[in-house]
Amino acid sequence: MGQGGEPRRAQAYDGELGAAVARAQGGDEAAFAAAYRMVQPGLLGYLRGIVGDDAEDVASDAWLEIARDLGRFQGDGAGFRGWTATIARHRALDHLRRMRVRPRSAALEQDVLDLPGPRSTHDEVLESLSTERALALVRGLPRDQAEAVLLRVVVGLDGLSAARVLGKRPGAVRTAAHRGLKRLARQLDVEGVTDDGPRTLGEST
Amino acid sequence: MGERQDDRGAADGRRRCVQPGATASGAPARGDRTGLEELLAVVLRAPGTGPAGGSEGEQRAVAAFRAARDAGAHSARTRRRDDWRQQGQRRARRSLRATLTVAVASLALGGVAVAAIGTVGSSTDDGSGAHPTTRPSAPPAASGGHSTADPAAPASTRALPAGPAATAEETAARCLAYEKAGGRSGEAMATTAWQRLVAAAGGEDQVTAYCAHVTATASPPDGTTRGNTTPGTARATARPDGAGGSPGAAASNGTQGQGQDGGQGNGRTEGQTEGQTDGQSNGAKTGGGKGS
């Protein structure tokens, strides 16, 4: 039951994030803004994978609740990401429940692709393409796989935290994340990824 | 489900003109799942955090934070779902603390054991036959006088550790309560405090005289109280109690013995402390033997 597969990217900020959250709980408003800037990208990416275009609105709702209940939270930086993801997920599910009664526009907004900033042409093109395509592919996954992949890769939660957010057993979430990633890799036609198929069920990490 | 598939189809169809294959030839060319995860993390986290949208949402969130803080909402109680401290870390921290405690305890007991080795070695010089380990450093005069009473006294002293620690202020307070009760022995006499007072005075009939001394000299709390009150009555009648096994009598006797300068009193005090030390060191030695 190790946590060897946990994402590395978001972990780098956990110490800083934990300190900011602690200061925010003491009333420091600048620290809360700093925590927001550290958490929001992953949170928004997760929400975009669930509710698509409405991710910004749902995230905004979620942050209202986060700001209100911040005093209740206990934990470190990684815990804060899990806590905020749980709140965001509840808001997203509420949103989907409301949306179920009426059809919504399926297309992703165009301005998602219009990334500002001075980047090299190659990177800009690659990331623009990848964002669009990766989002579409992730949203094409079954819900449990998509959420598991997003929580682990985009939000940066470890297996236990992701399982707690989703209210499932850690093993089930790991399996879902693995299958989702495998399927994405196959669809992206990445070489070498599809070779690890036999490890899918036997993997214990 | 079908909805999402529609999304994907629509999106793919819309963006097909911009070379979907570019992704495959780009970042995940390292060819492992980590590469794919890295790509997804970069790609899905990056957009939407542009300066305009991000700052607007940030301002809204900070405003909500400010309102909640000023309304006092941040002192709300932590619910179970708000507690994200890691269980494993807490457990590891606790086990670390337990390990340190065991280490410190073993060091302390080991020190006592080493000290006990020295004590036992010196006791062979005395060569007093009956209790070689119990009273190794007691003066010869003391060991001669109380050879029968001594084995009982350390045991009873250990059984009631709070007794010798009773201060003059406590005694004075008990006396005050005694006088308020009218000097009669009623139900109050059954309490531990009364029994201690009786023991300190040396008998129920001595309490009035004892308390008269104590309360007369209660204001200077140290030194003079003991010196004034203890001679005579307390000691004379408490001795038999100590031999008879009454814990309170033995305890108070030990306390008062320190205030006297007689050879017997000092001898008893030393004998008791030595007996305690040896008792602990014996336990430590057996414990160390098991551990090694």
Side-chain angles (χ1 to χ4, degrees):
Chain A
M1 287 284 282
Q3 298 174 2
E6 69 194 54
R8 295 138 298 270
R9 177 168 301 278
Q11 308 291 327
Y13 303 102
D14 277 356
E16 201 183 336
L17 176 60
V21 169
R23 273 185 288 127
Q25 286 181 314
D28 188 342
E29 148 182 344
F32 181 75
Y36 175 94
R37 283 193 289 271
M38 281 184 266
V39 171
Q40 171 72 351
L43 212 56
L44 198 56
Y46 169 56
L47 290 174
R48 201 171 272 139
I50 306 179
V51 298
D53 304 345
D54 302 322
E56 299 264 3
D57 291 341
V58 174
S60 184
D61 283 353
W63 275 105
L64 293 185
E65 186 173 338
I66 292 166
R68 190 193 67 206
D69 286 346
L70 184 70
R72 299 180 185 269
F73 168 75
Q74 282 201 348
D76 56 3
F80 186 70
R81 277 190 283 108
W83 184 67
T84 51
T86 306
I87 292 174
R89 181 169 191 264
H90 287 154
R91 294 284 75 78
L93 295 185
D94 287 348
H95 178 79
L96 288 182
R97 226 170 278 134
R98 282 198 303 272
M99 294 300 290
R100 200 165 289 157
V101 293
R102 49 196 156 118
R104 63 193 172 98
S105 64
L108 293 169
E109 285 179 10
Q110 280 290 334
D111 59 3
V112 167
L113 305 177
D114 299 334
L115 281 179
R119 299 169 189 251
S120 74
T121 307
H122 174 75
D123 282 350
E124 187 176 356
V125 169
L126 176 65
E127 291 192 9
S128 299
L129 283 176
S130 301
T131 298
E132 172 73 9
R133 184 163 166 74
L135 249 186
L137 289 177
V138 167
R139 301 199 67 200
L141 294 174
R143 161 71 68 77
D144 62 332
Q145 294 182 14
E147 282 199 82
V149 167
L150 288 165
L151 284 175
R152 297 209 51 182
V153 173
V154 179
V155 180
L157 301 181
D158 61 30
L160 290 178
S161 298
R164 186 173 171 187
V165 172
L166 295 172
K168 293 181 177 176
R169 287 179 295 105
V173 175
R174 277 193 204 97
T175 304
H178 188 83
R179 285 183 181 159
L181 284 169
K182 204 160 72 96
R183 184 161 161 181
L184 286 177
R186 202 182 298 127
Q187 288 171 332
L188 286 167
D189 200 19
V190 180
E191 292 181 6
V193 181
T194 50
D195 294 344
D196 62 353
R199 271 198 283 140
T200 304
L201 292 177
E203 191 183 47
S204 61
T205 55
Chain B
M1 186 64 185
E3 204 171 68
R4 275 197 299 277
Q5 292 290 353
D6 291 345
D7 286 355
R8 185 195 149 203
D12 274 352
R14 203 153 41 79
R15 304 304 304 170
R16 189 133 309 179
C17 52
V18 283
Q19 303 171 351
T23 306
S25 63
R30 273 171 286 178
D32 56 354
R33 223 185 62 190
T34 302
L36 174 60
E37 290 183 28
E38 292 283 335
L39 176 72
L40 286 174
V42 169
V43 154
L44 293 180
R45 283 171 63 91
T49 58
S55 69
E56 186 191 345
E58 180 182 322
Q59 282 167 10
R60 217 176 306 148
V62 170
F65 168 82
R66 206 181 300 123
R69 180 194 62 194
D70 295 344
H74 285 171
S75 57
R77 188 177 53 85
T78 297
R79 298 158 300 189
R80 193 166 177 273
R81 65 171 181 263
D82 302 316
D83 187 356
W84 280 78
R85 289 171 296 185
Q86 291 188 15
Q87 309 279 328
Q89 280 183 354
R90 256 182 294 173
R91 221 176 297 134
R93 221 174 291 138
R94 202 181 308 138
S95 72
L96 175 67
R97 194 186 305 154
T99 308
L100 279 177
T101 306
V102 168
V104 169
S106 67
L107 278 177
L109 290 177
V112 173
V114 168
I117 290 171
T119 311
V120 170
S122 70
S123 75
T124 55
D125 299 335
D126 280 347
S128 55
H131 307 289
T133 58
T134 323
R135 296 181 287 107
S137 62
S143 64
H146 292 276
S147 58
T148 56
D150 271 350
S156 60
T157 305
R158 246 175 285 146
L160 190 67
T167 62
E169 289 90 334
E170 290 173 354
T171 309
R174 286 178 198 141
C175 280
L176 209 60
Y178 171 77
E179 286 169 1
K180 277 185 181 171
R184 284 187 309 275
S185 60
E187 294 176 2
M189 291 300 288
T191 65
T192 312
W194 284 115
Q195 284 174 357
R196 286 203 181 132
L197 180 59
V198 168
E204 289 187 20
D205 50 346
Q206 309 269 3
V207 169
T208 309
Y210 175 70
C211 279
H213 281 290
V214 169
T215 50
T217 58
S219 37
D222 52 348
T224 57
T225 304
R226 281 184 201 147
N228 285 339
T229 56
T230 49
T233 60
R235 199 156 53 98
T237 52
R239 271 290 141 72
D241 287 348
S246 165
S252 62
N253 210 0
T255 310
Q256 292 160 6
Q258 291 174 355
Q260 299 161 357
D261 56 353
Q264 292 182 352
N266 284 339
R268 284 181 58 87
T269 309
E270 285 184 20
Q272 288 173 8
T273 52
E274 287 295 328
Q276 285 181 348
T277 309
D278 281 344
Q280 288 176 0
S281 65
N282 284 340
K285 272 187 287 187
T286 56
K290 285 176 193 169
S292 59

